[in-house]
Amino acid sequence: LLVPMQQLVSWGAAGAMVFGGVVPYIPQYRDIRRTQNAEGFSTYVCLVLLVANILRILFWFGRRFESPLLWQSIIMIITMLLMLKLCTEVRVSNELNIKRRSFAAADSKDEEIKAPPKRSYLDFDLNYFWHWSKFTDYLQCVLTFTGVTGYITYLWLDSSLFVETLGFLAVFTEAMLGVPQLYRNYQNRSTEGMSIKMVLMWTSGDTFKTVYFILNQAPFQFSICGLLQVFVDIAILLQVYLYSYYPQKPVSHTAHPASTKAL
């Protein structure tokens, strides 16, 4: 009886690893759809998770780790693309006089979406990176990053130093997941619009994940960066307490044209 119970617990833990990372974004996704307001959620969270999980998948080709961690990355990439699609649609529908910003294009002059300019990859504007007007631009950026990093990984796959560095970059990037949200809250001097349920789930999920890494003897990079991720989650929860009980006036700062809501 003990052996089947151990297998059941093992399957449950694996299932929690695969889908547990997605759960925190369900209340945030529902809040954005219900309110049609994406101001409180930083889309840079999506960028961080997309980069981290793409690198983690590439790391798997150099050093095979547990399958649940691989499937977790695949599910998370799909989830972040869905979050980006919703946030982009909501932001575009709420803003007036939207200027066309894209990953692949943009005339030096800001053109309205109604009359998009001719596209040229040479016209990429770094000032508006990750503040584009269509979901397809984000998708093109993700595919480009995947192609370039995948090719580099293919060339250096035999180098253990490169593989270990790739693994560290993957988990360290994921450990920085909460930093964009932490900075946005600091800028706004408020956590309004951010789903507190999401952060609580982040904290519990990251704690479970770190313990899972340690018990299953995952590569050491996973355990170290997991602990760092838990500390960042706790810092965001402290912001929730601080700004709820001690409201502060927003810091005045120069607004970035056409991107005030996108950070």
Side-chain angles (χ1 to χ4, degrees):
L1 181 62
L2 185 60
V3 174
M5 285 297 294
Q6 288 177 338
Q7 289 181 340
L8 187 62
V9 171
S10 177
W11 292 340
M17 281 300 301
V18 173
F19 298 103
V22 174
V23 174
Y25 299 96
I26 296 176
Q28 183 70 72
Y29 186 91
R30 294 178 63 185
D31 286 347
I32 294 174
R33 288 203 64 174
R34 177 175 54 83
T35 62
Q36 288 297 296
N37 186 344
E39 289 187 31
F41 178 72
S42 173
T43 53
Y44 281 103
V45 169
C46 300
L47 174 62
V48 169
L49 277 175
L50 285 168
V51 170
N53 285 282
I54 289 170
L55 292 179
R56 187 196 285 186
I57 292 174
L58 295 176
F59 177 53
W60 181 84
F61 287 98
R63 183 176 175 182
R64 302 296 172 91
F65 46 81
E66 289 192 330
S67 297
L69 298 179
L70 177 64
W71 281 106
Q72 180 198 43
S73 294
I74 296 172
I75 298 297
M76 184 60 73
I77 289 173
I78 296 172
T79 302
M80 289 302 101
L81 290 176
L82 292 175
M83 286 292 296
L84 270 177
K85 186 174 187 297
L86 176 64
C87 290
T88 305
E89 291 173 351
V90 168
R91 188 178 70 247
V92 169
S93 65
N94 287 344
E95 291 180 349
L96 300 175
N97 299 322
I98 300 173
K99 303 301 182 180
R100 176 68 166 114
R101 291 293 179 185
S102 66
F103 165 67
D107 193 72
S108 57
K109 297 180 180 179
D110 292 340
E111 300 278 352
E112 293 188 7
I113 291 181
K114 294 180 181 179
K118 293 181 179 179
R119 308 190 68 166
S120 169
Y121 284 89
L122 299 177
D123 291 329
F124 174 74
D125 190 348
L126 188 61
N127 293 326
Y128 291 90
F129 178 78
W130 215 249
H131 299 297
W132 302 311
S133 306
K134 294 179 97 176
F135 170 69
T136 52
D137 295 306
Y138 293 95
L139 190 59
Q140 287 177 15
C141 180
V142 171
L143 291 175
T144 300
F145 175 78
T146 304
V148 172
T149 53
Y151 180 68
I152 294 173
T153 301
Y154 174 75
L155 294 178
W156 290 87
L157 200 58
D158 294 332
S159 170
S160 60
L161 177 62
F162 173 82
V163 172
E164 293 299 326
T165 302
L166 184 65
F168 175 77
L169 288 176
V171 292
F172 181 76
T173 303
E174 186 174 0
M176 295 295 101
L177 166 65
V179 173
Q181 192 67 56
L182 188 74
Y183 179 67
R184 180 180 180 81
N185 296 341
Y186 171 76
Q187 275 193 318
N188 294 343
R189 292 294 193 270
S190 170
T191 56
E192 183 179 355
M194 181 194 74
S195 173
I196 299 176
K197 292 179 182 178
M198 177 185 71
V199 182
L200 288 172
M201 291 179 182
W202 274 357
T203 308
S204 59
D206 292 338
T207 302
F208 169 80
K209 181 171 61 178
T210 304
V211 173
Y212 182 89
F213 291 156
I214 295 172
L215 294 179
N216 287 274
Q217 299 181 342
F220 75 97
Q221 302 101 317
F222 285 60
S223 301
I224 294 174
C225 293
L227 289 171
L228 179 60
Q229 198 167 357
V230 172
F231 291 145
V232 174
D233 295 340
I234 293 173
I236 296 177
L237 290 175
L238 289 175
Q239 282 184 323
V240 174
Y241 171 79
L242 178 65
Y243 297 143
S244 297
Y245 290 93
Y246 304 99
Q248 302 178 39
K249 294 181 180 179
V251 174
S252 58
H253 56 275
T254 304
H256 195 294
S259 64
T260 310
K261 300 181 181 180
L263 180 60

